[in-house]
Amino acid sequence: RFEELTIDSRIIITNLEPLTKLMFLKKLIINDNHITDLSPLSELQQIRELNIDGNAIADLSVLNNLKSMEVLSIENTNIIDINALEDILCDEYALEFAFEGTRFYDLCRLARHKNKVGLYGANFGSIWLSRKLQYKNPAKDMLNEQNWYLPFK
């Protein structure tokens, strides 16, 4: 059973579909190929390290489901929207600190960033944060940024 696989630029590949059967794959290095779609990797739940440097990849949202991911290298790719990467970071914060309050300000910082960036649309960060905290049943409406903080009088 394969746990590590390296496919460098000497073997040009464009399709990752054949890799879907490698369920125990933990490390995948596919530098400098002609890959544009990562969706076949969504089934590989064991992946801990992924190196996709030098590929024409533009969308990382597929990686949101890979909860074992520890190392991701994306140099020289076509990635413009880092929303999926921010979600991965947020989920890591949730696992690491279980939203105990020690990382809440990091979540607020990400939400404020998403509110400011024109790519996401109006109030996107507030909606994003509200969805991330929805399972906690907050007493206040998290869509309103003023409710993210304790009131001071």
Side-chain angles (χ1 to χ4, degrees):
R1 78 186 195 189
F2 283 101
E3 289 190 4
E4 292 187 19
L5 179 62
T6 299
I7 304 172
D8 62 17
S9 59
R10 292 175 286 169
I11 303 170
I12 300 295
I13 62 169
T14 57
N15 183 1
L16 296 176
E17 199 66 40
L19 302 183
T20 58
K21 305 290 187 226
L22 302 176
M23 299 307 289
F24 298 103
L25 197 61
K26 292 184 170 130
K27 180 177 181 180
L28 178 60
I29 300 172
I30 45 178
N31 300 4
D32 302 315
N33 277 282
H34 297 211
I35 298 163
T36 58
D37 181 23
L38 293 176
S39 59
L41 299 183
S42 66
E43 303 298 319
L44 304 179
Q45 296 299 311
Q46 301 289 320
I47 286 200
R48 290 195 171 102
E49 184 173 341
L50 178 61
N51 185 322
I52 53 175
D53 295 347
N55 284 286
I57 296 162
D59 182 19
L60 289 177
S61 61
V62 166
L63 302 181
N64 283 346
N65 298 328
L66 301 179
K67 302 300 182 193
S68 298
M69 182 82 67
E70 296 173 357
V71 177
L72 174 64
S73 183
I74 56 172
E75 291 182 26
N76 300 319
T77 60
N78 293 339
I79 296 168
I80 297 170
D81 181 7
I82 62 167
N83 189 40
L85 192 55
E86 289 173 337
D87 281 348
I88 292 169
L89 288 172
C90 176
D91 291 341
E92 178 63 27
Y93 291 155
L95 291 173
E96 187 177 349
F97 293 98
F99 287 121
E100 295 169 347
T102 56
R103 290 291 182 178
F104 184 71
Y105 293 104
D106 289 334
L107 298 176
C108 291
R109 183 175 40 82
L110 283 171
R112 281 193 309 272
H113 166 74
K114 289 174 182 282
N115 275 343
K116 288 181 184 174
V117 177
L119 296 173
Y120 305 124
N123 209 30
F124 182 86
S126 299
I127 295 167
W128 174 84
L129 181 63
S130 177
R131 286 185 184 151
K132 288 291 180 187
L133 298 175
Q134 190 171 19
Y135 76 97
K136 292 247 186 203
N137 288 332
K140 297 279 188 168
D141 178 16
M142 297 305 284
L143 294 175
N144 181 349
E145 189 171 339
Q146 297 303 313
N147 291 334
W148 297 355
Y149 308 98
L150 293 173
F152 289 100
K153 294 188 178 196

